[in-house]
Structure formats: structure tokens, C-alpha cells
Amino acid sequence: MIIKTIDASVVQKCFLAGANAIDAKKEMINDLNVFPVPDGDTGTNMTMTIMSAAREVAALEEPDMARLCKAISSGSLRGARGNSGVILSQLLRGFTKEISKVGQVDVHVLTKAFERAVESAYRAVMKPKEGTILTVARGGAAKAVEISERTDNLLEFMNTVIMHMRDVLEQTPDMLPVLKEAGVVDSGGEGLLIVLEGAYDALLGKDVNYEVDAGGSVAVSEGTDPEVISDADITFGYCTEFIIMLEKRFDSKEEIEFKKYLESIGDSIVCVADDDIVKVHVHTNDPGLAIQKALCYGSLTKMKIDNMREEHHERVIRDAERKAAQEKAAEEEKEASLPPKGYKENGFISVSAGAGLNDIFKDLGVDYIIEGGQTMNPSTEDIVSAVDHVNAGNIYILPNNSNIILAAEQAKDLIEGKNIIVIPSKNIPQGIAAMINYVEGLSPEENETAMKEGLSSIKAGQVTYAVRDTAVDGKEIKAGDIMGLSDKTIETVGTDIVGTTIDLLKKMMDEESELITIYYGEEGKKEDAEKIEKAVREIDPDVEVEIHYGGQPIYYYFVSVE
């Protein structure tokens, strides 16, 4: 079979097939993470990033290339989570910038798109590391240039590029020793290949899934409960969808107000704004109210109202209502934690997970907490939304996780009208140190310098358990072992939580150590933290030890040495 050109409708199908392919294999990608920690989340981050775009892409009917590319680029950019997700969003951004210029994609256009995708991704990373998703993408672009001179068949072209990228991926352990020791290839590179392989399957005409639900995950086609729910079980009975053809201003302020109105009459809300259209989805008992409000902004088209009491299956509705309730509860909790309204010169946003840690950051002056971190990296859009809640001219953002810094920097590029300062804190103790180093009255530039200097004064560690057998830095690790980790590697391995934590602190302490802080998590115990304190004092009677409740999930202890 020979295919020389494809139009926007085919690109749309290929993208949705690629998104669904990685969604189906995200746990396999998670298992490729080098450190066997229970929050290995490359697959999850990449899936949530691309699914953010897939929701917008799936909503397009008969798209042209420009509209399709904008949906892919803006959706992935705002939905980007973690380093792997940010890099994927930049690859998609560069790729779509090239193909958005044409009506038909051929081998030469695709080659330029691959090259521009790689350029965009490399620019987004301050210190690109070889043996990663970047290397795999660059290998694909190089092969695309080579093969484009020999064939005009897109099928032959894509097959050759993907096979070469697979070869490059297999070589990543030779580029990064830590991959070779763990016996895995780069997880981000694997995720990228799965997306491309899914898109290629669609190009071949294979039977693939193009369905994406409003929540962003693949619609279930098998295994769902066929029993239809009763009317009484559904809070809002009508699934209402339409597109507003904008005739009046609809900026971010209007969008927020419109979403709040929809929330007052329903749930399961999706509101995606483009330059001249707004795609709306809401579950409500009175579709007329949503329609009447929308007419304030322009004329309506593509209207669709379904009676969910007749058409939806029990599991789909139950999941949608649960998700809507969780989102509403989370939003209410965040709103309740906001400071009194009123402009101020400096504001602070911190990523945190755990009631105790949240309280510590609030006591230090943080205005807004983004729930997340180790177990769930917040997206670029989550960070942008947080900035909207802080009424300040200068806003300091503390990612508190090395896998969130890129998303924070990407959010900074999307925000206008406020001076955003990203303090590149890689962990919770660094974030706390940065806040302690902030001095009221100094200029933003002076405080940025002081807060960044505070990061280097902290040695941070964390204690958790292994989820699989592996080997890292010469250490044999079995599933269920307790691990003490620094920012760079796994420092200690044992079978006892307290003992492993003490061993970790021994490695972190030196003659200049003055203060050790222990934050015990939701599965840690204060009495065990006190045992650790006693052991530390036996090692160095002069060192000061503080114990705080952190409440963080997954990690028994966060520790810091100053």
C-alpha cells in the first residue's frame, strides 16, 4: 500500500490512536523507571499530558490543519505534567507548528516537522541529557532526513523512522549507566515510541480505538456493567454540548465566570476556548440555562442534548459523578485556604502533599498550595490556575520536586501581567528553606538570589519502599525493601524503616551538620521518629533535631541536614 499525502482528518485519527496507545500501556512505561519507588510516573505523566490534548482534538468536527494543530499544541502545553510530559508537549508543539502551515502532509513536510519538534524540545531543557526521550526523538528526526530523499511513501517512511528510533532506544542503556544497571531502556523514549506506533497503526488502517471520554481516558468498550441506572441515581440528567461562535469578548476573566456559572447549574464541565470558538460540555437538569448564558457571548452551533437517564451505563455515570464531586471538593478546599482578597506586592505558591506539610508552608507565608508532588505531578495548567488565585504583583513558585520544575517554567511563559519567579526547589526541605530565606523588604531580584542560595544549604533525603527487584549503584534491591534516597541516588537499603532512615542520616551528616529535621508521613510514626532522633544524638550530641508531622503519602520520612 502506498500513501503519499494525508489530510487533517487522518492526522486527527493518528493522534487519537497514538494517545490511546500510550494510555493503554502507561503502567508498563511506569515500570521502566530506574528507581523502584512507588511513584514511578513517567507513563502516567505522558498519558495525562497527551490526553489533555486528545480531549480537545476529539471535540473537533471536520477540522482543518490549523485548528487541529492548535488543539494538539495548546492542549498538551497546558496539560503537561512532569519532565517527560513537558518534553512531550514541546515535541508536539514544534511538530504542529510545521504541519499547521499546510493542507496536506507528505514525507518532506513530516521530515521538517520531526526536525522542528526536536529543536523545540531541546530548547525547553536547560541541560539536555543523552540517553533519554530527547535522544530517541533526535534519532528519529535524523533518520527522517535520510529516508525522505529515498521514498515518498508515508508508510515506508514512518516504518523506517520508527524502527530506527526503536534501535536508538535499545542503545540508551549504553548512554546512561544507571539504565544499564537497572536493566531498562529510557521510559520517556519508550512512551514516545508507543505514541508513534499507535499513530502508525491508524495510518495502516488497523482496528484501533479513537474514542476519548470527557475525562480524558479511553472510553470503555468492553467489561462495563450493562445495567442501566435508575433516574434517582443521576444528579444531573442531561448531557449538554455545543460550540459558541464568539461575537463578544471572551478572555480569561469571562471564561472563569462562565465556568463558575456552569458549575452552579451542573457538573462534568469541559470548557475549551479558542480564538473564535468555545467548546462546551456540561451535565445539568436544565440545558436551557446553559444555552441562554452562552448566547450572551455569541451564536451557537453543533448543539447536542442527551438524556443520560436513558443512555448512560452505570459505571460511566458513577465515575463521572465521583470525579466531579472530587474536583468540586478539592476546589472548595483550595478556596477555603485562600487568604483574604486584596492585592499585595509578593505572593507565594507551593506544591505540597500532606496536611502537616501544607500547614508548615502556610505558616511560612505561602498563599496557595497545589496538592501534588511525589505521587501526582501537577500540570502546567494547574500552576497557571494557581497563579490566577494569588492577587500579587510578584509571585514566587516552589515546585518542590525536580519533576515539576519544567512545568513551572512552562507555566511562567504562559502568564502575563505578573512577575513570576520560579525557585527551582527539588524537594520539600528545599522549599521550606527557600521560604525561610525570604526577607520582606528586599527586591524580587534580591529575594530570588537569597531563596536560591537557601536551596544549596540543605541536604535532603527520603525513605520509602521498593516496588520491584532491581540493582542501582551496585545495590541489589528486592521488592518490599526499605530505601533511603538522596537527590542523586539510593543511599541505603534495608528491611527496617527506622534502621534504614538512621543509616541514611549517617551518610548525610558531617562535621559541619548543625540541624536535622525529620518530617514523618501518614505511614510514619512519631515514636519511631523519636527513636531516630535518639540515634542521631548518639552519633553527634551537639546536633539539633526537630520533628514535624508531614502527613505525606508513600514516603515514611522526609529528612534534611543543615
Side-chain angles (χ1 to χ4, degrees):
M1 183 167 62
I2 296 176
I3 300 176
K4 293 188 177 182
T5 61
I6 55 176
D7 60 15
S9 64
V10 177
V11 175
Q12 181 185 40
K13 289 182 178 180
C14 289
F15 180 78
L16 293 175
N20 284 341
I22 193 172
D23 184 50
K25 295 183 178 180
K26 59 180 175 288
E27 291 304 329
M28 180 271 282
I29 300 169
N30 286 341
D31 289 341
L32 292 176
N33 282 276
V34 173
F35 286 0
V37 294
D39 63 347
D41 50 10
T42 300
T44 300
N45 284 338
M46 294 183 76
T47 297
M48 296 187 76
T49 297
I50 200 168
M51 278 300 177
S52 175
R55 289 196 296 274
E56 297 189 27
V57 170
L60 296 175
E61 297 183 15
E62 300 181 2
D64 57 35
M65 201 70 77
R67 287 175 58 217
L68 174 62
C69 288
K70 183 170 184 178
I72 294 172
S73 179
S74 64
S76 60
L77 193 69
R78 290 186 171 274
R81 294 174 186 268
N83 293 344
S84 57
V86 171
I87 293 171
L88 176 60
S89 74
Q90 290 296 327
L91 287 169
L92 292 171
R93 186 183 190 187
F95 184 90
T96 54
K97 277 187 177 180
E98 197 63 42
I99 70 170
S100 64
K101 305 173 184 178
V102 302
Q104 298 280 333
V105 175
D106 59 16
V107 163
H108 294 292
V109 171
L110 206 53
T111 298
K112 291 180 181 178
F114 280 148
E115 289 184 295
R116 190 157 183 177
V118 171
E119 290 172 4
S120 179
Y122 267 88
R123 280 199 304 269
V125 180
M126 291 185 63
K127 296 180 180 179
K129 183 180 292 186
E130 297 307 325
T132 65
I133 181 176
L134 292 171
T135 308
V136 176
R138 190 178 64 187
K143 178 57 70 171
V145 172
E146 176 188 332
I147 194 68
S148 65
E149 301 301 322
R150 300 205 304 263
T151 182
D152 60 359
N153 183 357
L154 284 169
L155 294 179
E156 179 185 353
F157 173 86
M158 283 300 300
N159 183 56
T160 303
V161 169
I162 289 173
M163 288 178 63
H164 180 72
M165 291 175 71
R166 179 63 65 182
D167 289 340
V168 174
L169 179 67
E170 295 301 325
Q171 295 169 31
T172 54
D174 296 326
M175 304 176 202
L176 283 177
V178 68
L179 294 176
K180 176 169 283 190
E181 188 175 17
V184 297
V185 296
D186 178 67
S187 54
E190 180 68 53
L192 177 61
L193 265 169
I194 288 173
V195 171
L196 290 176
E197 288 166 349
Y200 182 58
D201 284 344
L203 197 60
L204 289 171
K206 291 185 179 181
D207 185 16
V208 297
N209 187 8
Y210 304 115
E211 298 291 328
V212 177
D213 69 18
S217 59
V218 181
V220 180
S221 58
E222 296 180 4
T224 41
D225 189 342
E227 182 182 350
V228 178
I229 63 173
S230 68
D231 290 356
D233 292 327
I234 304 177
T235 304
F236 299 103
Y238 295 95
C239 177
T240 306
E241 297 181 60
F242 51 81
I243 292 176
I244 308 173
M245 309 296 290
L246 291 174
E247 298 168 359
K248 297 183 180 179
R249 187 177 68 176
F250 194 82
D251 57 20
S252 58
K253 180 180 179 182
E254 277 76 25
E255 183 177 352
I256 291 170
E257 290 177 352
F258 183 52
K259 286 180 179 178
K260 285 183 177 179
Y261 177 79
L262 294 178
E263 288 171 355
S264 72
I265 63 169
D267 66 6
S268 297
I269 294 155
V270 177
C271 180
V272 181
D274 205 339
D275 289 339
D276 52 4
I277 66 169
V278 180
K279 174 70 176 179
V280 178
H281 170 281
V282 60
H283 292 174
T284 178
N285 283 328
D286 194 338
L289 292 176
I291 291 170
Q292 184 177 5
K293 183 69 173 178
L295 286 170
C296 296
Y297 302 105
S299 57
L300 306 186
T301 186
K302 306 294 184 184
M303 298 175 66
K304 181 171 172 283
I305 300 174
D306 292 327
N307 187 329
M308 296 191 299
R309 292 185 174 93
E310 295 177 353
E311 297 182 4
H312 285 67
H313 291 169
E314 181 177 12
R315 183 174 297 174
V316 177
I317 297 299
R318 185 171 63 243
D319 289 348
E321 290 185 338
R322 184 186 302 117
K323 182 175 184 295
Q326 290 171 343
E327 290 175 348
K328 185 176 181 180
E331 188 63 30
E332 288 176 348
E333 182 179 346
K334 288 179 180 179
E335 292 288 348
S337 68
L338 292 177
K341 291 184 179 180
Y343 178 84
K344 60 179 186 174
E345 185 175 354
N346 298 302
F348 303 87
I349 295 171
S350 176
V351 178
S352 178
L357 294 174
N358 295 350
D359 288 342
I360 290 170
F361 278 114
K362 290 175 185 176
D363 289 343
L364 290 171
V366 169
D367 300 286
Y368 194 95
I369 300 293
I370 302 175
E371 291 287 345
Q374 297 286 5
T375 54
M376 175 57 71
N377 298 148
S379 68
T380 298
E381 188 167 21
D382 291 335
I383 299 171
V384 172
S385 176
V387 170
D388 290 339
H389 285 84
V390 179
N391 190 11
N394 305 302
I395 298 179
Y396 299 81
I397 299 177
L398 302 169
N400 298 336
N401 187 300
S402 58
N403 206 30
I404 302 175
I405 295 173
L406 272 182
E409 293 287 356
Q410 188 158 271
K412 175 181 177 179
D413 293 338
L414 294 175
I415 296 165
E416 298 178 355
K418 295 181 179 180
N419 179 30
I420 306 300
I421 303 165
V422 177
I423 305 298
S425 50
K426 295 181 178 180
N427 48 62
I428 291 291
Q430 280 193 348
I432 292 172
M435 286 301 302
I436 292 173
N437 274 35
Y438 172 81
V439 179
E440 188 67 41
L442 295 183
S443 69
E445 295 76 17
E446 290 171 324
N447 264 316
E448 180 179 4
T449 299
M451 294 171 79
K452 286 182 177 179
E453 287 176 353
L455 306 184
S456 60
S457 68
I458 291 284
K459 287 190 247 180
Q462 49 203 9
V463 180
T464 187
Y465 59 92
V467 295
R468 67 174 186 275
D469 296 353
T470 189
V472 178
D473 287 347
K475 299 178 180 65
E476 293 293 330
I477 302 168
K478 301 295 182 182
D481 281 352
I482 307 302
M483 302 179 298
L485 300 90
S486 66
D487 278 338
K488 297 180 179 180
T489 189
I490 299 173
E491 300 285 357
T492 58
V493 180
T495 56
D496 175 68
I497 298 172
V498 172
T500 303
T501 307
I502 294 170
D503 290 341
L504 172 63
L505 285 168
K506 285 179 180 178
K507 287 182 174 289
M508 295 172 64
M509 294 170 63
D510 58 32
E511 294 179 354
E512 297 180 357
S513 298
E514 297 177 351
L515 172 64
I516 290 176
T517 308
I518 303 169
Y519 305 91
Y520 61 96
E522 63 182 11
E523 293 188 36
K525 298 177 181 179
K526 184 176 182 180
E527 51 266 36
D528 285 344
E530 291 169 346
K531 293 178 183 177
I532 297 168
E533 176 187 10
K534 182 180 178 181
V536 167
R537 293 190 184 281
E538 290 177 355
I539 298 169
D540 185 349
D542 296 327
V543 73
E544 184 179 350
V545 181
E546 293 183 358
I547 297 175
H548 299 281
Y549 171 63
Q552 68 272 9
I554 303 298
Y555 289 79
Y556 303 113
Y557 297 101
F558 289 152
V559 296
S560 67
V561 178
E562 301 177 58

